[in-house]
Amino acid sequence: MSVIMGFTALSAQQRVTGTVTSSEDGAPIPYVTVVVAGTTITSQTNLDGVYSINVPAGSNTLRFTFVGMQTVVADINGRAVVDVIMYPDAIALEDVVVIAYGTAKKESLTGSATVVDSQKLSRRVVSNVTKALDGLSTGVITTSGSGQPGSGSSVIIRGYGSINASQTPLYVVDGIPYNGSLNAINPADIESMTVLKDASSGALYGARGANGVIMITTKRATSEKVSITYNGSAGISNRALKRYDMVDQRDFVNMTYESLRNTYAFDNGIPWEVASQNAMNDLSTALGGELYNPYKNYTWATIIDPATGAVRADAVSAYDENWMDEIEQLNAFRHEHQLTVAGGSARTKALMSLGFLDENGVLKTTSFQRFSGRANVESQVNDWVKAGLNLSASMTKSNSSGYTGSAYANVWYSAQFMAPIYPVWLKDETGKNLLDELGNKQLDYGVTRPNLHDFSSVGTLYDDKFINTGDNVSARTFLAIGSDQDKAGWLKGLKLTANFGVDYVSSNNTTFYNMYHGNAASSNGRLTKSNGRTLSFTFNQLLTWNRSFGNHTIDLLAGHEFYNYTYSYLMAQKTNLVDGILELRPGTTIADADSYSNAYKIESYLSRLNYNFKDKYYFSASFRTDGTSRFHKDSRWGNFWSVGANWRITQENFMKNVTWIDNLALKVSYGVQGNDDLGTLYAWQSFYDLGYPNAGFTGAMISSLENKDLKWEKNANFNVGLDARLFGGRLDLSFEYFNRLTSDMLLRYPMALSTGFTGYDANVGTMVNKGLELTLSAQLVDTRNFGWRVTFMGSRVNNKVLSLTEDAPQIVSGNYVYKEGLPIRTFYMAKSAGVDPANGARLYWVYDEKDEDGNPIDPYISSSYEKAAVSKWYFGSRIPDLYGSASMELTFFNSIDLSVMTTYSIGGQMYDALYVGAMNPMYTGNTWSKNALRRWQKPGDRTDVPRAGINAKFQPSDAYLIDASYFAIKNITLGYTLPASAARKLGVSLLRIYVTLDNMSMFNYLNGMDPQYNFSGSTDYVYSPNKTYTIGLNLNF
Amino acid sequence: MKKIYSILIITLAVAVTTVSCSKDALETSPTTAVSGDGLFTNATAAMVPLNGIYRSMYTAGWSTTGNTHQCFGITAYNLMADVMGEDHIMSGQGSGWFWYDCTYNVKQRYTSGAWRSYDLWSAYYKWVANANYIIAAEETMEGLPSDVNYVIGAGYVIRAYSYFMLIQSFARTYKGHESDKGVPLYTEPSAAGTEGQPRSTVQQVYDQIVADIEKGVALLKDAKPQMHKSHIDYYVAQGIAARIYLTMENWSKARDAAAEARKNSSIGDKADLTAGMNSRTPKNVMWGAEIIADQSGIYASFLMHMDCKSPGYGNTAFKQINKQLYAKMGPNDVRTDWWDPTHPNNITDKGVELGYQQLKFRWLDKSLYTGDYIWMRNEEMLLTQAEAECRLGNDQAARDLLMQLMAKRDPDYTVNKSGTALGALTSDETGSLLEEILIQRRIELWGEYGRIYDIRRLKQGFTRTGTDGMGWPTAALITGRNTQNPESYAWVLTIPQAEFDGNKNLDQSVDQNPMDDGV
């Protein structure tokens, strides 16, 4: 390698030498550029940090520049030796924002982006980074996510972008769209997450950026100095939400009895006394016989006191077991460890990390483990060439509970709804535990239970297996040619960069249904092994040109990109297995086998212009065209673009005297982004599904209709924002307004079901999201020993469907409707008119006709639920009126830090199917919500809950809509950092211990309900979210 | 040095702007599906879409968005229609499947994509749509005429069958309701944007059904022989024609079609009947599905609902016979093996007596969830022929036919009844020959045919009775429903909401069937 030196021979000149060292560790810095100010004379420090330069007469100033360091300007003043100490460019680094295809100074942004740094991320005790985003950025709504260890949250940015296509943002890891598993990324490896919210910042990801972009940047070495960091934590998890309040044994029997009586009395018109007697007689059959009568001093036939119509007061229960107690793990243990080594030379820096996580779930037998490693190497090979490789590999293993929905094998369903009279453990006729020969309790599989028979929620957790292992490799590599140095001549500022990124996931699943109980008992066990292989890569070539001419700075980019995704799947299933061996080999009978593969490709051409005048006026424009394999070749190319401007008002002369305003900037941007993410990768094509073999014959049924016109859904995004920093940096304020219009919306165009199709994918309809976002951050106290910062974030989004198809101004989907003029997924259901005091029937507001606008004409009250089924009303949606977070950070004596983060959401409604199911049980043997005890019991009762019934006729109605507002304490972290002097004595540069209470509590309108379950306001029988209490240690050598 | 880099940069810059992937790089296609284009060019390839339809006739998961365990094609719909009548008792709700059909609790669920309104409408119309693509290739399909006829003929029969089942589900019976609203008709393949049709009249729908079945029969007459029991051949087509004409009360055509249909099969004897009715191979089976292990619906299958072995659905909601019907059999009738009057399931632990547990339909191999389905038997055709002869006044011919069957059922059986008198209710007995034929039909085809279809075409009513009568559980006595009046809409399904949402030629307020019984 040669060091190129500029040299100008002049007669009168002085030779100056010196050493450049780093302020951080005093080490010499090689390759620092040294320039004689006002000339083109350049030199560079050698490997020992020493330089030598000839300074012409009349020159007295040297300028030292180095990437990542603040530029130093030194006067010679006749000295022959000028030594210089360079300071890290910390302020500049802090304010650099990762944007599409590069970085930018924060104040130069014309768009909307929120940076979440590693410090904030590291406070959250999460195994999947998506769960850490809640409350950290305006405009972002996240779900709580399941408590299943390793699972993530869903995220949407700035409202609801589409009806049928995806609303999920694009995840970009180290500059390349990411297709790996999000739980394969160790959150501790993440330096920052940037949420790109508007067109100007995200349009260069035009293809898939319509729903916003989340840029994840992993850590890299910042200095040559070798640092070794250990982070470790250990903690315990419990369920975060309270449980639903369910009835006790006595009330359960009362409710069952009343239900049986009511069926006779009201549905079959049998006189009350006879109905009551019939119900008493039926109780035993209904509930599974005397074995399940916990009251051993009465039989089922005599348990009800005819005088009170309720369980006799002196009935004594022999046992009372709670199924939720038995399936949930108290204080599930979690610990993680991370070792990071960073450092390098002036030209080459590297960071290597190793991580291990072991987390047990709050549901017994569930767990997640991750081994992760990362190496991030970057090298300025020579003045012209820079190259880097960022490689991560991780192994994950998760044990889960594989059932979902109201399958009774889903323990979140069965244990929730199991009536309290059914014991977990097998009982004898006196109600005592029936022990096996070894004296152990035995699970009761409930062969005569009326519902959930031959099943134990606890048993299935141990008997069945759902194991997933993931092998993940991600690599990001680049090679850049070009130079910013003057000696490059006319090529100065011109760079060519090739980026290649690949994500590989091999996901292995083992599903085992046991041979003793449940649906595989008769086939002596059923084992399924499947493997899914995902391989995606992005290859791009970018040409950039970055030059300053006086007050003008220009930054140009042009490039080409190709993205390729492939997935292949292979599975086999056998029955008749050998107990204890989770492999197919010993199985005798092949029950199923399948394989398929998928492919998806995008090709893009992109360009961008950034212009800056005097750091006062910024202008940016971008254009990108994408072709996707999802659409027909005549419709697949979409053009996406953006323009943006930023006016830094404080740079103006007239602001010079306004001292209390440190920074004031006004930003405006507009642009169009695209979305092609329909569920299918082959959206436009007509297909016959080959999944219909008839015995030995190949068979296929038509599954989709062709639409060659199908094209990109477009999001036109307008953003205006005001950023201000006031009172000497004491107050930061950011205010933004956006208007996001989705057009050519990808929608399933409904067809008459009688055509054999429910519809076809088409571009129809428009929808708008408008919103306001406000961030206020105030440093209330900032003294030497005490710091107090509070941050408030508030966001609001108004969604409205503007147009749908010509034929269907509304599309009904279950309890929801998409209707022009109303928010997406507006609740559409019957309207309750209370409960009839005469007979306890639910009353509804019904109507016979609607006017042209769909408003009911002359509604009246009826108890006919058939009539109610056709008399639906519109009732709001899940979308909150205002949501966000409030947090604060306190520091004492530079050694104690305390942070508290809370989130809130005001407004919106939920239809909690779990609660509705507990108010209207479907099956005998399912239990009730405590709220059902408000039921109507006798003529004249005035209440809001109808008479008890099992599988009674009811219509979903507004009576079950619940306010979705909540307030949650998401995180409290208290840390203690050893003072630097004490740390040095121990030989460490940093030592911090901390305690974190993560996801601590949630306050809402109904115990048990998770208002953050999803974005549409429904619920399902799923793994409860968890809270974690952790203690941890950060150690830096 | 600088020169090298400048050349490099310029070269690569030019490359960047010109580089592009090959023209076809963005063309992708799945491996789980094929384009329909090539499937109809010749008769061999066209067997693929045809076999797809047959597969769906015994498979769950394609007709609804949920509740798939009660939606698995022909046997599911037969079971549904059976438990809607008086002869096929469900002992309780069990896991809930078919219980809503049994207790007449489905019509108001028309807005859901998971209940009967949607399921039946969607399933039959999907068969129509798939058949329409086959029929559309009639003129262009290459291959031997006997091969082409085998495919196209089956296409016509499937369309006839589908419309026939639709019209029986979504309108009252043909006779007397010819001008009632029927169902929308489609005879062309659907494409993106195909407009929904209005409801044709019942007569128009039957006109289409008759045209299609006659075309199908004619084509299949000149087609190759049945390749697999699941395929519709000439004889199966005649069998379906016989069902159609019977419902239309065209007795002579029903008789002729049934007689023709029987020609390739014969009456089963004891060994054919009492092995669990789970094989397509006996000589009496004309049409049925072969269930191989990896194509079994497991829980979503007929035998899971019928067989009372644990675990399953049939062991919690027992399928039992109406005790009064059982009593019609002589003690030596081989069919008495189909039900067990002394089975423990017949009495609840509270001592409430129910019907008699069925043993007619049993798993072939429960560990693999195998057991074939039977969709049409020689005996049904014989009983149809006998009924038609009786209706035509040919009592002797009818009695002879009945004796042919009963000779293989009950050695003690004799019949000397005559006439066609029927009671207003199925339990009002007249002692006529027609009634006798129908009683044997109820016994012979229990669980297989869909009893409610017969009740409706016969314009009878029925009442369920409990402990001291048929053996129905109290919860399924449907005392609030009008099943006594043949004009009732109790068994006329509501049209699913999804149809109105996508069909601008239908108006919910005038085109929906009554939500209640209507009488």
Coordinates of all heavy atoms in Angstrom, one line a residue, chain B residues 171-213:
Chain B
A171 N -85.2 -24.0 -1.6 CA -86.5 -23.7 -2.0 C -87.4 -24.9 -1.5 O -86.9 -26.0 -1.2 CB -86.7 -23.6 -3.5
R172 N -88.7 -24.7 -1.5 CA -89.6 -25.8 -1.1 C -89.6 -26.8 -2.3 O -89.1 -26.5 -3.3 CB -91.0 -25.3 -0.7 CG -90.9 -24.5 0.6 CD -92.3 -24.0 1.0 NE -92.8 -23.0 0.0 CZ -93.9 -22.4 0.2 NH1 -94.7 -22.7 1.2 NH2 -94.3 -21.5 -0.7
T173 N -90.2 -27.9 -2.0 CA -90.1 -29.0 -3.0 C -90.7 -28.6 -4.3 O -91.5 -27.7 -4.4 CB -90.7 -30.3 -2.4 OG1 -90.3 -31.4 -3.2 CG2 -92.2 -30.3 -2.4
Y174 N -90.3 -29.4 -5.4 CA -90.7 -29.0 -6.7 C -92.2 -28.9 -6.9 O -92.7 -27.9 -7.3 CB -90.1 -30.0 -7.7 CG -90.6 -29.9 -9.1 CD1 -90.1 -28.8 -9.9 CD2 -91.4 -30.8 -9.7 CE1 -90.5 -28.7 -11.2 CE2 -91.8 -30.7 -11.0 CZ -91.4 -29.7 -11.8 OH -91.8 -29.5 -13.1
K175 N -92.9 -30.0 -6.6 CA -94.3 -30.1 -7.0 C -95.1 -29.0 -6.1 O -95.0 -29.0 -4.9 CB -94.9 -31.5 -6.7 CG -94.8 -32.4 -7.9 CD -95.8 -32.0 -8.9 CE -95.6 -32.8 -10.2 NZ -96.4 -32.4 -11.3
G176 N -95.9 -28.2 -6.8 CA -96.7 -27.2 -6.2 C -96.0 -25.9 -5.9 O -96.6 -24.9 -5.5
H177 N -94.6 -25.9 -6.1 CA -93.9 -24.6 -5.9 C -93.1 -24.3 -7.1 O -92.1 -23.6 -7.0 CB -92.9 -24.8 -4.7 CG -93.7 -25.3 -3.5 ND1 -93.6 -26.5 -3.0 CD2 -94.5 -24.6 -2.7 CE1 -94.3 -26.6 -1.9 NE2 -94.9 -25.5 -1.7
E178 N -93.6 -24.7 -8.3 CA -92.8 -24.5 -9.5 C -92.5 -23.0 -9.8 O -91.5 -22.7 -10.4 CB -93.5 -25.1 -10.7 CG -93.6 -26.6 -10.7 CD -94.9 -27.1 -10.0 OE1 -95.4 -26.3 -9.2 OE2 -95.2 -28.3 -10.2
S179 N -93.4 -22.2 -9.4 CA -93.2 -20.7 -9.7 C -92.5 -20.0 -8.5 O -92.3 -18.8 -8.6 CB -94.5 -20.1 -10.1 OG -95.4 -20.3 -9.1
D180 N -92.2 -20.7 -7.4 CA -91.5 -20.1 -6.3 C -90.1 -19.7 -6.8 O -89.6 -20.1 -7.9 CB -91.2 -21.1 -5.2 CG -92.5 -21.2 -4.3 OD1 -93.5 -20.7 -4.7 OD2 -92.4 -21.9 -3.3
K181 N -89.4 -18.8 -6.1 CA -88.0 -18.4 -6.4 C -87.1 -19.6 -6.2 O -87.2 -20.3 -5.1 CB -87.6 -17.3 -5.6 CG -88.1 -16.0 -6.1 CD -87.6 -14.8 -5.4 CE -88.0 -13.5 -6.1 NZ -87.8 -12.3 -5.3
G182 N -86.3 -19.9 -7.1 CA -85.3 -21.0 -7.0 C -84.0 -20.5 -6.6 O -83.8 -19.8 -5.6
V183 N -83.0 -20.8 -7.4 CA -81.6 -20.4 -7.2 C -81.0 -19.8 -8.4 O -81.5 -20.1 -9.5 CB -80.7 -21.6 -6.7 CG1 -81.2 -22.1 -5.3 CG2 -80.7 -22.7 -7.7
P184 N -80.0 -19.0 -8.4 CA -79.4 -18.4 -9.6 C -78.8 -19.6 -10.4 O -78.3 -20.5 -9.9 CB -78.2 -17.5 -9.0 CG -78.6 -17.2 -7.6 CD -79.4 -18.5 -7.1
L185 N -78.8 -19.4 -11.7 CA -78.3 -20.4 -12.7 C -77.1 -19.9 -13.4 O -77.1 -18.7 -13.9 CB -79.4 -20.8 -13.7 CG -80.5 -21.7 -13.2 CD1 -81.5 -21.9 -14.3 CD2 -79.9 -23.1 -12.8
Y186 N -76.1 -20.7 -13.5 CA -74.9 -20.4 -14.3 C -74.5 -21.6 -15.2 O -74.4 -22.7 -14.7 CB -73.7 -20.1 -13.4 CG -73.9 -19.0 -12.4 CD1 -74.6 -19.2 -11.2 CD2 -73.5 -17.7 -12.7 CE1 -74.8 -18.2 -10.3 CE2 -73.7 -16.6 -11.8 CZ -74.4 -16.9 -10.6 OH -74.6 -15.9 -9.7
T187 N -74.4 -21.3 -16.5 CA -74.0 -22.4 -17.3 C -72.7 -22.1 -18.1 O -72.2 -22.9 -18.9 CB -75.1 -22.7 -18.4 OG1 -75.4 -21.5 -19.0 CG2 -76.3 -23.3 -17.7
E188 N -72.1 -20.9 -17.8 CA -70.9 -20.5 -18.4 C -69.8 -20.5 -17.3 O -70.1 -20.2 -16.2 CB -71.0 -19.1 -19.1 CG -72.0 -19.1 -20.2 CD -71.5 -19.9 -21.4 OE1 -70.3 -19.9 -21.7 OE2 -72.3 -20.5 -22.1
P189 N -68.5 -20.7 -17.7 CA -67.5 -20.6 -16.7 C -67.4 -19.2 -16.1 O -67.6 -18.2 -16.7 CB -66.2 -20.9 -17.5 CG -66.6 -21.4 -18.8 CD -68.0 -21.0 -19.0
S190 N -67.1 -19.1 -14.8 CA -66.9 -17.9 -14.1 C -65.6 -17.3 -14.4 O -64.6 -18.0 -14.5 CB -67.1 -18.1 -12.6 OG -68.4 -18.5 -12.3
A191 N -65.5 -15.9 -14.5 CA -64.3 -15.2 -14.6 C -64.3 -14.1 -13.6 O -65.3 -13.8 -13.0 CB -64.1 -14.7 -16.1
A192 N -63.1 -13.4 -13.5 CA -63.1 -12.3 -12.6 C -64.2 -11.3 -13.0 O -64.2 -10.9 -14.2 CB -61.7 -11.6 -12.6
G193 N -65.0 -10.9 -12.1 CA -66.0 -9.9 -12.5 C -67.3 -10.5 -13.0 O -68.3 -9.8 -13.3
T194 N -67.4 -11.8 -13.1 CA -68.7 -12.4 -13.5 C -69.8 -12.0 -12.6 O -69.7 -12.0 -11.4 CB -68.6 -14.0 -13.5 OG1 -67.8 -14.4 -14.5 CG2 -70.0 -14.6 -13.7
E195 N -70.9 -11.5 -13.2 CA -72.0 -10.9 -12.4 C -72.9 -12.0 -11.8 O -73.1 -13.0 -12.5 CB -72.8 -10.0 -13.4 CG -73.7 -9.0 -12.7 CD -74.2 -8.0 -13.7 OE1 -73.5 -7.1 -14.1 OE2 -75.4 -8.2 -14.1
G196 N -73.3 -11.7 -10.6 CA -74.2 -12.7 -10.0 C -75.6 -12.7 -10.7 O -76.0 -11.6 -11.2
Q197 N -76.2 -13.8 -10.7 CA -77.5 -13.9 -11.4 C -78.6 -13.8 -10.4 O -78.5 -14.1 -9.2 CB -77.6 -15.3 -12.1 CG -76.6 -15.4 -13.2 CD -76.8 -14.5 -14.4 OE1 -78.0 -14.3 -14.8 NE2 -75.8 -13.7 -14.8
P198 N -79.8 -13.4 -10.8 CA -81.0 -13.4 -9.9 C -81.5 -14.8 -9.7 O -81.0 -15.8 -10.4 CB -82.0 -12.6 -10.7 CG -81.6 -12.8 -12.1 CD -80.1 -12.9 -12.2
R199 N -82.4 -15.0 -8.7 CA -82.9 -16.3 -8.5 C -83.9 -16.7 -9.7 O -84.8 -16.0 -10.0 CB -83.7 -16.3 -7.2 CG -82.9 -16.1 -6.0 CD -83.7 -16.2 -4.7 NE -84.2 -17.5 -4.3 CZ -84.8 -17.9 -3.2 NH1 -85.0 -16.9 -2.3 NH2 -85.1 -19.1 -2.9
S200 N -83.6 -17.8 -10.3 CA -84.5 -18.3 -11.3 C -85.7 -19.0 -10.6 O -85.6 -19.2 -9.4 CB -83.8 -19.4 -12.2 OG -82.8 -18.8 -12.9
T201 N -86.7 -19.3 -11.3 CA -87.8 -20.0 -10.6 C -87.4 -21.4 -10.4 O -86.5 -22.0 -11.1 CB -89.1 -19.9 -11.5 OG1 -88.9 -20.7 -12.7 CG2 -89.5 -18.5 -11.8
V202 N -88.2 -22.1 -9.6 CA -88.0 -23.5 -9.3 C -88.1 -24.3 -10.6 O -87.3 -25.1 -10.9 CB -89.0 -24.0 -8.2 CG1 -88.9 -25.5 -8.1 CG2 -88.7 -23.3 -6.9
Q203 N -89.1 -23.9 -11.4 CA -89.3 -24.6 -12.7 C -88.1 -24.5 -13.6 O -87.6 -25.4 -14.2 CB -90.5 -24.1 -13.4 CG -90.9 -24.8 -14.7 CD -91.1 -26.3 -14.5 OE1 -92.0 -26.7 -13.6 NE2 -90.5 -27.2 -15.2
Q204 N -87.6 -23.2 -13.7 CA -86.4 -23.0 -14.6 C -85.2 -23.8 -14.1 O -84.4 -24.3 -14.9 CB -86.1 -21.5 -14.6 CG -87.0 -20.6 -15.4 CD -86.9 -19.2 -15.1 OE1 -86.5 -18.7 -14.0 NE2 -87.2 -18.3 -16.1
V205 N -85.0 -23.9 -12.8 CA -83.9 -24.6 -12.3 C -84.1 -26.1 -12.6 O -83.1 -26.8 -13.1 CB -83.7 -24.4 -10.8 CG1 -82.6 -25.3 -10.2 CG2 -83.4 -23.0 -10.5
Y206 N -85.3 -26.6 -12.5 CA -85.5 -28.0 -12.8 C -85.3 -28.3 -14.3 O -84.8 -29.3 -14.7 CB -86.8 -28.6 -12.3 CG -86.7 -29.1 -10.8 CD1 -87.0 -28.3 -9.8 CD2 -86.2 -30.4 -10.6 CE1 -86.8 -28.8 -8.5 CE2 -86.1 -30.9 -9.3 CZ -86.4 -30.1 -8.2 OH -86.2 -30.6 -7.0
D207 N -85.7 -27.3 -15.1 CA -85.5 -27.4 -16.5 C -84.0 -27.6 -16.9 O -83.6 -28.5 -17.7 CB -86.0 -26.2 -17.3 CG -87.6 -26.1 -17.3 OD1 -88.2 -27.2 -16.9 OD2 -88.1 -25.1 -17.6
Q208 N -83.2 -26.8 -16.2 CA -81.8 -26.9 -16.4 C -81.2 -28.3 -15.9 O -80.4 -28.9 -16.5 CB -81.1 -25.8 -15.7 CG -79.6 -25.7 -15.9 CD -79.2 -25.4 -17.3 OE1 -79.8 -24.5 -17.9 NE2 -78.3 -26.2 -17.9
I209 N -81.8 -28.7 -14.7 CA -81.3 -30.0 -14.1 C -81.6 -31.1 -15.1 O -80.8 -32.0 -15.4 CB -82.0 -30.2 -12.8 CG1 -81.5 -29.2 -11.8 CG2 -81.8 -31.6 -12.3 CD1 -82.3 -29.1 -10.5
V210 N -82.9 -31.1 -15.6 CA -83.3 -32.2 -16.5 C -82.5 -32.2 -17.8 O -82.0 -33.2 -18.3 CB -84.8 -32.1 -16.8 CG1 -85.2 -33.0 -18.0 CG2 -85.6 -32.4 -15.6
A211 N -82.2 -31.0 -18.4 CA -81.4 -30.9 -19.6 C -80.0 -31.4 -19.3 O -79.5 -32.2 -20.1 CB -81.4 -29.4 -20.0
D212 N -79.5 -31.0 -18.2 CA -78.1 -31.5 -17.9 C -78.0 -33.0 -17.7 O -77.1 -33.6 -18.1 CB -77.6 -30.7 -16.7 CG -77.1 -29.3 -17.0 OD1 -77.0 -29.0 -18.2 OD2 -76.9 -28.5 -16.0
I213 N -79.0 -33.5 -16.9 CA -78.9 -34.9 -16.6 C -79.1 -35.8 -17.8 O -78.5 -36.8 -18.1 CB -79.8 -35.3 -15.4 CG1 -79.4 -36.7 -14.9 CG2 -81.3 -35.3 -15.8 CD1 -78.1 -36.8 -14.2

